[in-house]
């Protein structure tokens, strides 16, 4: 049985969208793969690590990853549970119009300078709308294409996200902290516990994490839980149970946090994408 499955949700003249689900059985680095085209990958469930040469990037729901055509990479799953991503490929000429020039490498080939970039809660909500709309076949083609372009533009625009840049050492520290949180998303971690897991002091961890990610550690955990909620809304009739399963103290806490991030309550979001 294959370790992953791919479902084509949208394929038009200008773009394609694929839902890629991986069981995550390979804990160590996989065999080398090569990207056939330059595309964007939006993780929406779980976590994995992509290795390009000596560089490693944690793929999780607060980031978009860039895969460059002809670039070799390996994948590992240090956290159990597998992952799921939406892979977006856009016509090269159109993509050049969308990507700010400073984000591309010099040269004739279309290639991103960075391996990843942070996205904001609105982009996460837009991603969920696209995925649910296409998978449930309630989004028309024109609507879906427009939403995909909006998602890409929002994810690349300086006004809505920040480049995930830092020194290699600090980025590795932050990535280790992300993996600790992802190993048990519902757990009510203490700062000392996370710091102990990554081998630094709590003060240093909080300072570096905020400098690299642009948000405090606790808010990153909240965003990760809410991103997970977006994925699970289709599986739960009892939203109180969903909130508690994700580590929220109560339904009101879950609902308030969800509304603050995405502009509507979980129940309203369910109704909007026809999940219930």
């Amino acid at each position: 049985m294959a370790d992953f499955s791919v479902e084509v949700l949208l394929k038009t003249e200008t773009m394609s969208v694929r839902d890629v689900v991986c069981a995550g059985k390979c804990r160590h680095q996989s065999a080398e793969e090569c990207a056939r085209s330059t595309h964007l990958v939006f993780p929406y469930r779980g976590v994995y690590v992509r290795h390009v040469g000596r560089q490693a990037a944690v793929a999780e729901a607060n980031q978009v990853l860039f895969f460059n055509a002809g670039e070799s990479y390996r994948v590992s799953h240090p956290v159990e549970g597998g992952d799921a991503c939406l892979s977006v490929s856009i016509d090269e000429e159109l993509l050049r119009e969308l990507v700010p020039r400073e984000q591309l490498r010099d040269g004739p080939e279309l290639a991103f300078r960075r391996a990843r970039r942070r996205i904001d809660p609105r982009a996460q909500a837009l991603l969920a709308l696209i995925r649910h709309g296409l998978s449930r076949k309630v989004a028309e083609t024109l609507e879906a294409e427009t939403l995909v372009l909006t998602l890409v533009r929002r994810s690349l625009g300086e006004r809505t996200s920040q480049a995930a840049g830092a020194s290699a050492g600090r980025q590795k520290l932050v990535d280790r902290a992300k993996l600790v949180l992802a190993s048990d998303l519902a757990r009510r971690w203490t700062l000392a516990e996370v710091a102990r897991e990554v081998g630094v002091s709590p003060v240093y961890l909080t300072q570096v994490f905020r400098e690299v990610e642009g948000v405090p550690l606790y808010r990153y955990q909240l965003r990760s839980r809410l991103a997970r909620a977006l994925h699970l809304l289709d599986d739960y009739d009892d939203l109180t149970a969903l909130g508690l399963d994700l580590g929220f103290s109560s339904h009101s806490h879950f609902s308030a946090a969800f509304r603050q991030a995405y502009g509507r309550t979980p129940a309203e979001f369910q109704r909007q994408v026809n999940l219930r």
Side-chain angles (χ1 to χ4, degrees), residues 123-200:
Q124 290 176 333
L126 185 56
L127 178 68
L129 286 171
I130 293 169
R131 184 170 61 85
H132 288 305
L134 289 174
S135 63
R136 298 175 65 85
K137 304 186 186 305
V138 296
E140 295 186 6
T141 302
L142 181 60
E143 176 189 8
E145 287 183 304
T146 302
L147 290 177
V148 169
L149 292 180
T150 301
L151 171 65
V152 172
R153 186 180 295 110
R154 182 168 194 88
S155 300
L156 298 176
E158 292 292 342
R159 295 173 58 186
T160 57
S161 66
Q162 301 174 2
S167 69
R170 289 190 167 201
Q171 185 67 69
K172 286 182 179 179
L173 170 61
V174 168
D175 283 348
R176 290 202 303 272
K178 287 181 176 182
L179 292 175
V180 170
L181 294 176
S183 68
D184 191 349
L185 201 58
R187 176 173 169 176
R188 296 182 182 179
W189 292 93
T190 67
L191 182 58
E193 288 172 338
V194 179
R196 188 161 50 249
E197 289 288 332
V198 299
V200 298

Side-chain angles (χ1 to χ4, degrees), residues 19-268:
D19 193 8
V20 183
V21 179
C22 182
K25 296 177 182 178
C26 182
R27 302 298 294 275
H28 303 290
Q29 292 188 33
S30 67
E32 192 172 72
E33 303 176 56
C34 186
R36 296 182 179 179
S37 63
T38 298
H39 58 283
L40 294 80
V41 173
F42 295 86
Y44 63 84
R45 177 182 65 78
V47 62
Y48 66 94
V49 179
R50 185 184 63 162
H51 307 265
V52 179
R54 296 185 177 181
Q55 303 298 316
V58 174
E60 39 80 26
N62 293 295
Q63 311 272 344
V64 55
L65 272 71
F66 305 117
F67 286 67
N68 294 321
E71 189 172 69
S72 298
Y73 64 92
R74 299 176 187 269
V75 172
S76 63
H77 292 85
V79 177
E80 294 182 354
D83 66 87
C85 305
L86 221 59
S87 175
V88 176
S89 298
I90 296 179
D91 175 77
E92 183 173 324
E93 184 176 344
L94 187 58
L95 187 57
R96 285 188 181 276
E97 293 184 37
L98 293 170
V99 185
R101 187 67 189 87
E102 63 273 13
Q103 295 182 27
L104 295 176
R105 295 176 184 171
D106 296 329
E109 302 298 327
L110 177 65
F112 288 91
R113 290 181 181 273
R114 298 184 181 275
R116 55 187 166 180
R117 187 176 175 85
R118 287 192 297 277
I119 62 174
D120 62 16
R122 290 187 179 182
Q124 290 176 333
L126 185 56
L127 178 68
L129 286 171
I130 293 169
R131 184 170 61 85
H132 288 305
L134 289 174
S135 63
R136 298 175 65 85
K137 304 186 186 305
V138 296
E140 295 186 6
T141 302
L142 181 60
E143 176 189 8
E145 287 183 304
T146 302
L147 290 177
V148 169
L149 292 180
T150 301
L151 171 65
V152 172
R153 186 180 295 110
R154 182 168 194 88
S155 300
L156 298 176
E158 292 292 342
R159 295 173 58 186
T160 57
S161 66
Q162 301 174 2
S167 69
R170 289 190 167 201
Q171 185 67 69
K172 286 182 179 179
L173 170 61
V174 168
D175 283 348
R176 290 202 303 272
K178 287 181 176 182
L179 292 175
V180 170
L181 294 176
S183 68
D184 191 349
L185 201 58
R187 176 173 169 176
R188 296 182 182 179
W189 292 93
T190 67
L191 182 58
E193 288 172 338
V194 179
R196 188 161 50 249
E197 289 288 332
V198 299
V200 298
S201 73
V203 172
Y204 186 70
L205 174 61
T206 55
Q207 176 185 343
V208 171
F209 197 96
R210 180 161 193 144
E211 288 176 356
V212 173
E213 283 299 307
V215 295
L217 187 67
Y218 75 89
R219 189 162 295 280
Y220 168 84
Q221 182 190 43
L222 175 63
R223 287 184 178 181
S224 297
R225 286 175 171 172
L226 291 173
R228 178 67 169 159
L230 283 172
H231 167 65
L232 292 175
L233 280 177
D234 198 18
D235 300 331
Y236 277 76
D237 293 313
D238 186 348
L239 295 179
T240 298
L242 172 58
L244 295 177
D245 287 348
L246 288 173
F248 290 92
S249 59
S250 65
H251 175 70
S252 60
H253 178 208
F254 170 47
S255 185
F258 193 99
R259 183 167 189 169
Q260 183 177 17
Y262 303 127
R264 67 218 81 172
T265 66
E268 290 169 342

